[in-house]
Amino acid sequence: MTIVTIWSTAVAAPPAASTSSTSTDSQALGTHEPRVGRFLYAVNQAVGTRGSVSVYDIGAEHRPVKTIETVHDVDDVKGVVASAATGRLYVAYRTRSDVGMIYCLNLYDDEVLWNRAIDPDIDRLAIHPDGQLLYIPTWEGRSADFINVLDASTGDVVRKVHFSSRSHDAQFPLSGPLFQETKAGDGSGKYLYLIDPQSYAVSRVGPYAGILGPYAVDGMSRYVVNNVTGLWGMQVAELKSGRIVTANIEEHPAGEPGLLHGIGWTPDQREVWQSSSEGDPHIYIWSMRDPMAPVLAERLSMKSRHGAHWLTFDIEGDYAYVAPKKGSDDATEIFDAHTHKSVGLIGSSEDMIEIDFADRKVSRVGDQFGVGRVVHTSKN
């Protein structure tokens, strides 16, 4: 396996003329305002509530707090990010007329600050740690060979980074840099891309055994775990060396796996949880004592009749949130991440992020991906 460095030819573009629109539809439903505590902000995907945001109190057994009505005409929710620095949350979605959009929500008053189309399209986005830039894939269904970098305060495009077509999931883990995968069928989709957020130089890791799906990076950006098309199991890459190992699920349902969709580290990085195929309502748990020699430790049964499409964790690592089939009205299931027991259900969502408040301010935010959160190796 090799790491190949590619230098980006992207150049900065002047900000586009703003076409943003401010919504007056955002209204908190409920009397409890989350100004102290830990809260799960879940973008609803059920047909009747799609695009609105349900807020749950993590410390009170995920008691529903309120629902924030946001924008209309949401057909497919594609991702959510937030910034503690700015107190803003962003949701990428596609409309019923196949237009890629992003809306920006003020977490302090639940107002939509802007809602605008992004050319040529959108997918699961990432945000810079300082909250000033958004990184927007141009959708797995389109042929554009770049991602857009947006000014997070306005939604204006400030740069394009070129490397491959059909860009899909963007991730900015705790130790950076920006990561990106694509669904390109020309061979470039078998690589995971790393983008330097300062120089915008692009490198890549691979090739993997197939086209990549969801992935998750550990806290120090040493290892990345990947769903890979055509594999019953996962592949793990050591980023410095480029070495890739395969962890197979030996006992699995009959037939081809397609793409197992959903994977994440527990925040303490002791385990990786992985979704199965669409028809297999189980979660596979890998022991990661040695990240390059995963051991399949347990298989959990879901309440849903379908396989999961996404999973993530709260910041502390107490809960795993397992989302149902994409676009389904089935509930999202909550597991105790320590005991592996199912402990509850919330509304259907795969685009979830923890937002914590202290002294009436956003104190920290989680991640839609199951990123690792171990950022040191010793207590010095």
Side-chain angles (χ1 to χ4, degrees), residues 171-205:
Q171 183 177 142
F172 206 124
L174 269 61
S175 297
L178 176 69
F179 287 77
Q180 180 69 58
E181 56 93 5
T182 86
K183 290 294 188 292
D186 61 359
S188 60
K190 293 184 177 183
Y191 292 84
L192 181 66
Y193 295 85
L194 290 70
I195 302 171
D196 187 299
Q198 294 182 319
S199 68
Y200 292 98
V202 181
S203 59
R204 66 184 189 180
V205 176

Side-chain angles (χ1 to χ4, degrees), residues 45 47 50-51 72-78 93-99 326-327:
Q45 72 171 6
V47 173
R50 191 167 296 168
H72 302 295
D73 196 32
V74 177
D75 183 60
D76 184 7
V77 182
K78 301 299 291 186
Y93 69 97
R94 303 187 76 243
T95 69
R96 285 186 284 270
S97 54
D98 293 329
V99 176
K326 181 73 171 178

Side-chain angles (χ1 to χ4, degrees), residues 63-308:
R63 176 177 63 85
V65 172
K66 61 182 177 179
T67 296
I68 306 168
E69 300 299 336
T70 55
V71 299
H72 302 295
D73 196 32
V74 177
D75 183 60
D76 184 7
V77 182
K78 301 299 291 186
V80 60
V81 294
S83 169
T86 64
R88 294 182 174 185
L89 178 144
Y90 303 85
V91 174
Y93 69 97
R94 303 187 76 243
T95 69
R96 285 186 284 270
S97 54
D98 293 329
V99 176
M101 306 280 293
I102 295 176
Y103 70 75
C104 171
L105 182 75
N106 185 340
L107 289 166
Y108 292 111
D109 61 13
D110 297 340
E111 290 294 323
V112 174
L113 300 177
W114 53 262
N115 176 43
R116 60 183 300 177
I118 307 299
D119 183 51
D121 220 314
I122 56 83
D123 221 310
R124 196 174 297 272
L125 70 173
I127 191 169
H128 192 281
D130 66 10
Q132 300 304 307
L133 294 174
L134 298 171
Y135 306 96
I136 314 298
T138 46
W139 191 45
E140 62 177 311
R142 294 201 185 274
S143 59
D145 69 345
F146 60 87
I147 64 169
N148 281 312
V149 182
L150 306 187
D151 182 330
S153 63
T154 64
D156 293 336
V157 177
V158 298
R159 179 183 287 268
K160 300 180 190 296
V161 184
H162 294 261
F163 56 95
S164 176
S165 64
R166 300 182 65 186
S167 53
H168 191 34
D169 293 338
Q171 183 177 142
F172 206 124
L174 269 61
S175 297
L178 176 69
F179 287 77
Q180 180 69 58
E181 56 93 5
T182 86
K183 290 294 188 292
D186 61 359
S188 60
K190 293 184 177 183
Y191 292 84
L192 181 66
Y193 295 85
L194 290 70
I195 302 171
D196 187 299
Q198 294 182 319
S199 68
Y200 292 98
V202 181
S203 59
R204 66 184 189 180
V205 176
Y208 287 81
I211 294 174
L212 296 186
Y215 61 98
V217 183
D218 75 330
M220 296 183 70
S221 295
R222 292 180 174 180
Y223 304 98
V224 58
V225 292
N226 304 266
N227 292 131
V228 181
T229 301
L231 178 65
W232 280 110
M234 66 174 182
Q235 289 194 297
V236 186
E238 183 181 48
L239 292 167
K240 184 176 181 179
S241 68
R243 179 186 171 210
I244 297 174
V245 298
T246 300
N248 291 300
I249 299 171
E250 299 297 342
E251 296 183 10
H252 56 73
E256 295 298 320
L259 175 62
L260 309 190
H261 200 285
I263 197 166
W265 298 87
T266 54
D268 63 12
Q269 297 178 191
R270 294 179 180 178
E271 296 174 344
V272 163
W273 291 38
Q274 182 180 15
S275 303
S276 188
S277 63
E278 183 174 315
D280 179 23
H282 294 95
I283 298 296
Y284 295 89
I285 298 180
W286 301 90
S287 171
M288 302 299 285
R289 170 175 283 186
D290 179 352
M292 298 304 285
V295 175
L296 187 60
E298 193 169 350
R299 188 181 76 161
L300 304 184
S301 296
M302 297 170 53
K303 294 183 183 301
S304 173
R305 295 170 298 171
H306 307 287

